[in-house]
């Protein structure tokens, strides 16, 4: 069974601070995705990374896929209250597991004004 | 119109009731999924349908019964549920080859 460990589980910071969320596994994934979920809503896809060592940027968010495709990180620069939410990483094993995502337990981020 | 629409958004049902959750996707995808999201647990994949055919049943109890009449619609029929089945049920769709899944807003189910 593939597992994804996300850390930290909770993060409470002030507006303007930087933060990093980690997603780690002992398994190799063909791709890894990051989602953001607000209370009472479904997860919204932020980014997909597929190549080991890949770095993608989305405004103030930087996503990195580990060289061995077993881990990923999400870095937010100058966090804003609008960044508050649950951040989820999800890995796809590929092969016959196309489309079947294994999720981490999530990081609840609160950004205070 | 959102890409993946779920109804109802909220549902309260007794343990002896029968109800159904509905999901519709307008993204032209050919795979659809049911996930369960409980407090303090990761999202759990329940069922996978590729081209209307069920390809995965992740050891889900038979009181949950999925139905996929076509590639755009997915149902989850519920009967004789238990209070521990209370959760947010999420529908998602993607291309069969993945990897990007797009989620609906979910149905918040409470079993009393």
């Amino acid at each position: 069974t593939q597992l994804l460990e996300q850390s930290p589980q909770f993060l409470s910071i002030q507006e303007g601070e930087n933060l990093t969320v980690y997603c780690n596994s002992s398994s190799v994934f063909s791709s890894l995705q990051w989602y953001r979920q607000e209370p009472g809503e479904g997860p919204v896809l932020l980014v997909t990374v597929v190549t080991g060592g890949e770095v993608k940027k989305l405004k103030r968010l930087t996503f990195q896929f580990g060289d061995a495709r077993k881990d990923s990180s999400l870095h937010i620069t100058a966090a804003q209250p609008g960044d508050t939410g649950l951040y989820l990483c999800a890995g796809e094993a590929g092969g016959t597991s196309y489309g079947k995502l294994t999720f981490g337990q999530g990081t609840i981020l609160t950004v205070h004004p | 119109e959102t890409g993946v629409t779920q109804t109802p958004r909220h549902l309260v049902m007794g343990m002896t009731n029968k109800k159904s959750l509905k999901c519709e996707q307008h993204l032209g995808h050919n795979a659809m999924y049911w996930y369960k999201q409980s407090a303090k647990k990761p999202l759990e994949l329940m069922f996978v349908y590729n081209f209307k055919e069920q390809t995965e049943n992740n050891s889900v109890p038979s009181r949950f019964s999925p139905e996929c009449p076509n590639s755009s619609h997915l149902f989850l029929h519920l009967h004789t549920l238990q209070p521990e089945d209370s959760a947010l049920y999420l529908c998602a769709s993607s291309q069969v080859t993945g990897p990007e899944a797009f989620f609906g807003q979910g149905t918040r189910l409470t079993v009393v």
Side-chain angles (χ1 to χ4, degrees), chain B residues 5-8 19-25 32-34 46-49 54 64-78 89-91:
Chain B
T5 304
Q6 287 187 245
T7 54
K19 296 287 184 184
S20 295
L21 309 185
K22 179 183 176 182
C23 177
E24 184 174 0
Q25 61 97 359
M32 296 188 77
Y33 313 83
W34 281 115
M46 299 174 71
F47 301 104
V48 180
Y49 277 83
Q54 187 180 130
F64 295 90
S65 175
E67 179 190 359
C68 189
N70 55 60
S71 292
S72 298
H73 294 85
L74 185 64
F75 296 89
L76 187 62
H77 304 298
L78 316 170
Y89 288 85
L90 291 160
C91 171

Side-chain angles (χ1 to χ4, degrees), chain A residues 4 15-16 27 33 40 61-62 74 78 84 87-89 94 98 102 111:
Chain A
L4 274 170
E15 183 175 2
S27 303
Q33 299 163 56
L61 279 60
T62 302
L74 157 61
T84 294
Y87 288 82
L88 297 162
C89 65
Y98 274 132
T102 298
V111 183

Side-chain angles (χ1 to χ4, degrees), chain A residues 33 35 37 40 48 98 100, chain B residues 9 37 56 97 99-101 105:
Chain A
Q33 299 163 56
Y35 291 83
Q37 184 177 18
T48 300
Y98 274 132
K100 299 172 197 172
Chain B
R9 292 291 309 276
Q37 188 174 34
E56 182 96 0
T97 51
E100 296 170 337
Q105 294 169 300

Side-chain angles (χ1 to χ4, degrees), chain B residues 21 27 45 69:
Chain B
L21 309 185
L27 300 170
L45 179 63

Side-chain angles (χ1 to χ4, degrees), chain A residues 72-88:
Chain A
S72 181
S73 64
L74 157 61
H75 183 78
I76 301 180
T77 304
Q80 299 177 1
D83 296 326
T84 294
L86 172 67
Y87 288 82
L88 297 162

